Amino acid sequence: MSKIICKCGQILSDSTDQLFYKGYIISDKEYFNMFDFADQLIESDCPQKENLAMTFRHNISVGNSYIRLKEIFQCPLCGRIMIETMPGCFCFFTPEDDNKKNLLDYGVETEIEYIKKQ
């Protein structure tokens, strides 16, 4: 997918990595399936760690994979959340209050700032 159009008209590009407004959502069931799958790979007799890493990446991803992740976007203009319902289709949610527009951008820098304020 290369573009998503928010209901406010903002165009969100999805043509590169490490977008601050894009993330992935995983159900609790899939989350624990992911750990079970990782355990199986770690405990396997495969001596090639690179192959294990690639197997993990191919089986835990967006699309028809062993563990299903859904894409989630937040419009940087209006704060609306877009959650993938199936590939290329999204369900939209509008914030009711406190319109934070960076809910998906909470990396290490944000954690460090939070700790400094304590």
Side-chain angles (χ1 to χ4, degrees), residues 6-98:
C6 183
K7 297 214 181 241
C8 74
Q10 178 74 13
I11 297 172
L12 286 78
S13 175
D14 185 21
S15 59
T16 187
D17 294 334
Q18 301 201 19
L19 297 168
F20 71 92
Y21 52 79
K22 179 181 180 183
Y24 298 91
I25 193 167
I26 185 170
S27 71
D28 194 53
K29 178 182 169 188
E30 295 294 306
Y31 180 75
F32 285 100
N33 283 344
M34 179 179 64
F35 286 118
D36 291 343
F37 183 66
D39 288 343
Q40 290 172 15
L41 289 174
I42 291 166
E43 294 169 2
S44 75
D45 294 331
C46 181
Q48 301 168 333
K49 290 189 178 191
E50 173 99 14
N51 288 347
L52 287 177
M54 292 312 293
T55 300
F56 192 78
R57 283 181 175 262
H58 288 301
N59 284 286
I60 300 176
S61 63
V62 174
N64 296 325
S65 302
Y66 179 72
I67 305 294
R68 178 81 168 99
L69 302 177
K70 291 186 174 193
E71 293 179 330
I72 181 172
F73 293 83
Q74 184 178 30
C75 179
L77 187 63
C78 71
R80 193 174 268 119
I81 297 284
M82 295 154 263
I83 298 176
E84 176 189 42
T85 55
M86 50 196 220
C89 297
F90 293 87
C91 187
F92 293 81
F93 297 88
T94 305
E96 290 183 14
D97 50 23
D98 194 26

